[in-house]
Amino acid sequence: MGVLSFYMVVSASAPAYAMHVMEGYLPAGWAVFWWVVALPFILLGVRSLSRITQANPELKLLLALAGAFTFVLSALKLPSVTGSCSHPTGTGLGAVLFGPLAMSVLGTLVLVFQALLLAHGGLTTLGANAFSMAIAGPFAAYWIYHLTMQFTGKQKIAIFLAAALANLLTYLITSVQLALAFPAPVGGFVASFSKFAGIFAITQVPLAISEGLLTVLVWNWLQSYSPQELELLQLIRRESQTHESI
């Protein structure tokens, strides 16, 4: 709560030009490209969410919690570079609970609400923002969690690494997107990527660590007050793995 309060105070007192990649910032070709890339994941995510809610409707409240967690954390903004901001993502928790495909829908819905209600991000850049925050980040969190559990068996470490590294990967993808759209006159993509990633790293590394710690605290709360739902989610993930490739 202290970390959240600190970022709320900072974000309230500092002007920011956008959340995520702002409306109209990407050239039309790249905006369409990222929409095309993101759309199949979102459609598969709708199917995944439908399967989860039909099989276990009592999990809808936990789904709403995962979406709300993402909304609150990703609304905490720190100015980073022109056309974008640094912020926690909050997608790691939902990815571990429900899988990356389900989180692609929840994360995209969060981005839509922020674009329409808070003027953060945009509809033309929604595909790019969805791919970085709602697709790439959750997939990274899902695999990092399971690989860490496989090699260490320590769940809290796995939760921390999943949330923190998914946050960092989100901004690496954003740096790639911006570098592809705006290559440097000298050095091209590599020089532009180094510039964007270097500036993001200043604020994103401590943000990622903070998000990892906060996600562990929320996980501890869920273990204390929702153990039955967590046990049920373990069954869902095992069943999903027999039908899906993720």
Side-chain angles (χ1 to χ4, degrees):
M1 291 303 297
V3 173
L4 282 175
S5 300
F6 169 77
Y7 284 123
M8 285 181 179
V9 171
V10 171
S11 64
S13 61
Y17 298 102
M19 173 65 67
H20 319 298
V21 180
M22 70 179 180
E23 181 69 67
Y25 190 70
L26 291 177
W30 283 110
V32 172
F33 171 80
W34 290 113
W35 262 105
V36 172
V37 172
L39 194 56
F41 292 95
I42 297 172
L43 294 177
L44 289 173
V46 171
R47 188 184 68 173
S48 177
L49 275 179
S50 176
R51 183 184 299 117
I52 292 171
T53 54
Q54 288 179 5
N56 303 100
E58 63 271 25
L59 292 176
K60 291 180 180 179
L61 188 60
L62 195 56
L63 276 167
L65 173 65
F69 184 72
T70 300
F71 184 89
V72 171
L73 261 66
S74 61
L76 304 177
K77 57 188 182 293
L78 289 174
S80 183
V81 296
T82 301
S84 189
C85 290
S86 291
H87 56 84
T89 62
T91 58
L93 178 65
V96 170
L97 290 174
F98 299 106
L101 287 178
M103 201 60 216
S104 69
V105 177
L106 295 180
T108 301
L109 288 175
V110 165
L111 291 167
V112 170
F113 278 114
Q114 290 180 347
L116 295 177
L117 302 179
L118 303 179
H120 297 157
L123 297 180
T124 61
T125 57
L126 180 61
N129 290 328
F131 184 80
S132 61
M133 192 184 95
I135 297 171
F139 268 90
Y142 180 85
W143 288 113
I144 289 168
Y145 171 80
H146 285 280
L147 287 174
T148 304
M149 287 295 295
Q150 180 179 350
F151 287 106
T152 69
K154 299 184 181 298
Q155 191 173 50
K156 293 181 181 179
I157 293 177
I159 293 291
F160 171 82
L161 290 177
L165 295 181
N167 180 301
L168 291 177
L169 180 66
T170 295
Y171 280 90
L172 285 177
I173 297 297
T174 301
S175 298
V176 169
Q177 292 171 332
L178 294 174
L180 287 171
F182 304 102
V186 179
F189 167 81
V190 175
S192 184
F193 172 79
S194 300
K195 171 188 171 184
F196 284 118
I199 296 174
F200 275 134
I202 297 173
T203 51
Q204 209 57 41
V205 170
L207 276 172
I209 296 173
S210 300
E211 179 175 341
L213 294 173
L214 181 61
T215 305
V216 171
L217 292 177
V218 174
W219 184 264
N220 290 340
W221 182 84
L222 289 174
Q223 284 184 315
S224 298
Y225 295 98
S226 300
Q228 293 179 346
E229 285 82 354
L230 293 182
E231 292 177 5
L232 191 59
L233 282 168
Q234 292 288 342
L235 292 174
I236 289 174
R237 282 204 296 271
R238 284 198 293 267
E239 291 173 359
S240 298
Q241 287 173 351
T242 64
H243 298 289
E244 298 178 350
S245 61
I246 61 169

